[in-house]
Every structure is written in structure tokens, then in C-alpha cells.
Amino acid sequence: MRQILLTVALIVSTLASSAKSIKELWIAMPDSMIPYLTRDMRAELVGSDETKEIGNALGGKTCIDTLTHRYLRVTLTEASQIEMRLLPSTKGDSMLCVVQTYKGSVPESTINLYTQEWEKMDTKHIFDGKCAKCIAQTLVERPDTMSEQRFDELQLLLDPMLVQMTLCADSDVIVFTASAPMLDKKDQMQVKAILMQRKFKWVENSFKKVIN
């Protein structure tokens, strides 16, 4: 029995030591993902509690907004940010979820999943069997009090429609929010009536819709 317990303890210890922290993954990120932020720059940014901001190769500033054991949010430039979160996996080491957001007239995000070796994973079916682009179609909904004609008129204003994704810092939840970049303030107020926010929680290797 003692031998079995020692073996189990050794396996658990080995698995724990092989799993990378969010800091280690940030530093090990391929340079091609953020060309203006070298490995040394990334290491400097998370190297101490005192370093919250560094200069990047574009001549601007990059700063840490939030850093926890499993989550990191960094403002890369005035026009972009990146979020990283470790997600539990039933198939081995934690997966790394990366959301990059580009801040034009309205924000637009992309999402990718990676192994701890920064190998890109398939994201075609991670949202209740759908891809992120498919979820965008569910962010528009007609209220019961709105006529179908008015709903159709407002939908025409949503071309193009951009989607922002936001990872939660304290839970395995991602939030989808839609907006239209080409509208004036009056039209933006009108289309808000048909735009929905969607939340998904990471459960058993995929995001499941959260019922509000």
C-alpha cells in the first residue's frame, strides 16, 4: 500500500511540475504573435510586482492590467489588448485560451485555444458545438414588443456587425457583445434593443451557454 501511495504521489508531483503557469506561458509565447514585444520584454513585464509598464518596439507602452494565477490581461497598445486564461482539461494539462481584441471605432475580438506548448487547437466546435463566428448570429434577437418589420429595418443597420469577446478574470466564463461600427449615436441607441449579450462557461473541454 505504501508503494502504491508513493507511486501516486510521484505521478501527481510530476504532473504538477510539468504544468506551466500563466507567467511562463506568456514568456514562452511565439514572438510571431506579438512581433513588437520580444521574449525579454514579456519576461520584464511579469518579472516583478513593481514592473507594470514597459516600452515596446513600436515606440509605445505595454502594460499589465490584471495578473492572477490563471489569468492575464495586457494592454498591448492604445488600440489592442490580449487576455489569456488557463482552462481545465479532462485530457491532460490545462488548455490556454487567448482572446485578442482590436479597438477600432468599436472593439473586435479573435479567440484561439493552445496547448501548453503553444500548439494551436481546433476551435470550430467549442461553443455548444459551434464556432465563435456562429455565435455572432445569436446576438441579434427580436423583442416580443417589436414588430417584425421594425426588426428587419434595424437588422439592416447591423452590416457590418463586430463582436467583442471578454474573458472573466475570476471564472471560466467568456462574454460575447456585439456592436456596429458604422452607426451614428442615434442609430446605435436604436439597435441596442435587438442586440443581446451571451455568456458561456467552460465545462468539460468546451464552452456551454449560460442562461441569464
Side-chain angles (χ1 to χ4, degrees):
M1 178 62 70
R2 178 179 294 180
Q3 184 64 37
I4 294 175
L5 291 175
L6 287 173
T7 301
V8 172
L10 179 60
I11 293 173
V12 171
S13 176
T14 301
L15 289 175
S17 63
S18 65
K20 295 181 176 65
S21 69
I22 200 77
K23 283 186 177 182
E24 291 172 322
L25 289 165
W26 165 254
I27 295 171
M29 175 191 294
D31 289 343
S32 58
M33 289 187 63
I34 311 175
Y36 51 87
L37 210 62
T38 65
R39 181 186 180 95
D40 288 343
M41 291 176 178
R42 296 194 300 272
E44 180 184 354
L45 193 60
V46 297
S48 69
D49 294 335
E50 297 180 359
T51 304
K52 298 295 183 181
E53 182 180 278
I54 63 169
N56 58 53
L58 294 177
K61 297 293 184 180
T62 295
C63 63
I64 291 180
D65 300 314
T66 308
L67 175 60
T68 68
H69 180 65
R70 295 176 55 203
Y71 174 84
L72 173 68
R73 184 177 70 210
V74 176
T75 296
L76 300 171
T77 68
E78 292 183 355
S80 63
Q81 75 171 29
I82 189 170
E83 293 178 285
M84 295 168 47
R85 184 167 182 84
L86 283 169
L87 298 173
S89 172
T90 59
K91 301 178 180 179
D93 288 338
S94 299
M95 301 179 191
L96 181 63
C97 182
V98 178
V99 172
Q100 290 180 268
T101 300
Y102 307 93
K103 303 174 183 178
S105 55
V106 296
E108 182 179 22
S109 302
T110 60
I111 184 172
N112 285 292
L113 287 180
Y114 297 90
T115 68
Q116 295 211 356
E117 302 303 322
W118 281 102
E119 297 171 344
K120 187 177 288 189
M121 304 178 70
D122 185 9
T123 58
K124 291 181 181 178
H125 308 290
I126 62 169
F127 293 101
D128 275 340
K130 301 177 181 178
C131 65
K133 290 184 178 180
C134 297
I135 298 303
Q137 301 171 6
T138 73
L139 301 179
V140 180
E141 187 173 296
R142 181 176 69 86
D144 294 337
T145 56
M146 183 180 291
S147 68
E148 291 189 9
Q149 179 180 347
R150 181 56 177 158
F151 179 62
D152 291 340
E153 291 172 353
L154 292 178
Q155 282 194 97
L156 293 176
L157 298 177
L158 294 174
D159 186 18
M161 184 178 75
L162 302 183
V163 176
Q164 179 180 9
M165 290 170 267
T166 306
L167 291 169
C168 294
D170 55 0
S171 64
D172 297 332
V173 171
I174 188 169
V175 181
F176 281 71
T177 307
S179 56
M182 306 303 292
L183 303 183
D184 57 28
K185 290 185 177 180
K186 180 181 177 180
D187 288 337
Q188 286 179 3
M189 292 298 296
Q190 291 179 346
V191 300
K192 280 184 178 180
I194 65 172
L195 292 179
M196 305 295 294
Q197 187 182 81
R198 303 294 186 194
K199 294 182 180 180
F200 293 82
K201 184 176 179 62
W202 184 258
V203 180
E204 295 182 352
N205 303 332
S206 67
F207 285 105
K208 307 298 183 183
K209 183 180 177 181
V210 176
I211 306 299
N212 296 326

